[in-house]
Amino acid sequence: MNNEYKHYQTSADYIRNKAGYQPEVALILGSALGGLAEEIQNPIVIDYANIPNFLLSTVESHAGKLIVGDLGGKKVMCMSGRFHYYEGYAFEELTTPIRVFHALGVKQTILTNAAGAVNPAYQPGDIMVIRDHINLLGASPTRGVNIHEFGPRFFDVSNMYTKRLRKLVNEVAVEQGITLQEGVYYYTPGPHFETPAEIQAIHRLGADAVGMSTVTEALTAAHCQMELLGLSLISNMAAGILDQPITIEEVREIGERTVETFKVLLKETVKKM
Ligand code: HPA
């Protein structure tokens, strides 16, 4: 684990040189949502493997490419494929993407993911704006030596999913005739889905959706005071809500069906950020 700001600057310098400019907004695309990257105009594609000090994606449904280009009139960078705790990374390593964004000068990030519905009123295909999250795994990705260029040792996380961006995406949804849910995301480490008893407990704790990503990135973004928007695609009802097993195929299939709506929502939101 590297504790120096320049470690992240090395990755950022490589990306800046490849792109020839500095992107303003970053996006991280979750499972089955990689297709959103097709919306980016004038794309410059960079393999994670070529970025110094970056991580490698090991999940099949995650592409492992950084796409820099134009979206909604803005210069954006988009990670198609993200890093998860279940791949074996240490929590601290999962700070890497957001820290590289910060070193590049990015001040706004959109995180997307696929999640299971814990709230029984939700349906597969719904899009949930993340209002807040619950992380009972206990660990923080920012543990260890504090790198003060990113932020202070102790930091506030009461407005992690920035109010301004939540309001903005809701306005865009009304304009575009897209219905959104807004709720609390519960973080589970995976890679297994949850037991029905866990889902009942998670529901009682006040969560609306459950998933295996996003939270490490959100905490890292809060540390460096980056504006953040989190969007969950509800890909399935969580374990035990329906009398059927959860499969990764259904997660992917819903992603493919919802990707067009997601594209409109993201593009129009980026335009107004
Ligand atoms: N649980 C955890 N992660 C998920 C789920 C789920 O039901 N669906 C998609 N990602």
Side-chain angles (χ1 to χ4, degrees):
M1 196 51 219
N2 205 292
N3 296 320
E4 290 185 54
Y5 193 72
K6 66 172 191 275
H7 175 84
Y8 304 93
Q9 274 176 322
T10 306
S11 318
D13 288 346
Y14 178 86
I15 297 165
R16 197 184 289 110
N17 282 338
K18 279 270 169 192
Y21 55 83
Q22 184 141 315
E24 300 165 68
V25 177
L27 296 99
I28 299 186
L29 304 180
S31 312
L33 292 168
L36 296 171
E38 289 162 13
E39 283 301 285
I40 295 176
Q41 306 294 304
N42 310 314
I44 297 157
V45 180
I46 306 171
D47 280 341
Y48 293 168
N50 293 333
I51 306 173
N53 301 341
F54 214 59
L55 307 176
L56 279 178
S57 188
T58 67
V59 193
E60 270 170 53
S61 54
H62 288 252
K65 288 187 194 310
L66 186 69
I67 299 120
V68 189
D70 300 296
L71 183 73
K74 297 241 163 86
K75 296 289 182 208
V76 302
M77 63 191 283
C78 172
M79 277 178 64
S80 180
R82 62 144 58 86
F83 310 111
H84 310 79
Y85 184 62
Y86 62 73
E87 292 172 77
Y89 299 111
F91 247 71
E92 298 88 316
E93 287 179 290
L94 296 172
T95 56
T96 301
I98 297 286
R99 290 189 161 175
V100 171
F101 296 171
H102 181 272
L104 264 167
V106 168
K107 299 214 166 38
Q108 299 172 315
T109 293
I110 302 179
L111 306 175
T112 71
N113 60 49
V118 176
N119 185 331
Y122 287 6
Q123 285 179 354
D126 281 357
I127 298 172
M128 183 186 90
V129 179
I130 305 178
R131 185 173 65 242
D132 204 350
H133 77 225
I134 300 174
N135 168 27
L136 292 189
L137 200 68
S140 172
T142 63
R143 72 192 280 272
V145 173
N146 187 54
I147 307 175
H148 66 88
E149 287 91 339
F150 289 116
R153 170 77 297 181
F154 302 104
F155 57 101
D156 180 61
V157 291
S158 59
N159 187 29
M160 226 177 328
Y161 302 91
T162 326
K163 247 181 225 154
R164 188 184 80 83
L165 294 185
R166 281 191 277 132
K167 185 161 173 274
L168 190 74
V169 75
N170 274 297
E171 286 165 6
V172 168
V174 170
E175 277 168 25
Q176 299 295 326
I178 298 168
T179 306
L180 294 181
Q181 308 282 6
E182 184 160 313
V184 174
Y185 179 88
Y186 186 97
Y187 178 63
T188 56
H192 57 272
F193 296 110
E194 302 67 40
T195 67
E198 284 164 348
I199 292 301
Q200 282 187 26
I202 289 168
H203 185 42
R204 286 191 190 116
L205 284 172
D208 298 288
V210 60
M212 305 174 193
S213 67
T214 302
V215 160
T216 49
E217 296 143 0
L219 289 165
T220 310
H223 184 230
C224 60
Q225 299 200 345
M226 202 178 269
E227 271 204 303
L228 192 68
L229 177 66
L231 297 172
S232 292
L233 163 66
I234 301 299
S235 55
N236 57 281
M237 299 312 287
I241 296 184
L242 305 176
D243 188 19
Q244 62 189 46
I246 297 161
T247 64
I248 193 66
E249 287 71 29
E250 93 185 285
V251 173
R252 288 188 189 135
E253 197 222 291
I254 293 286
E256 279 157 27
R257 275 204 273 145
T258 319
V259 78
E260 292 307 317
T261 311
F262 235 103
K263 278 182 186 171
V264 174
L265 190 66
L266 282 185
K267 192 164 156 185
E268 296 302 315
T269 303
V270 167
K271 211 184 264 179
K272 295 187 174 175
M273 276 170 77

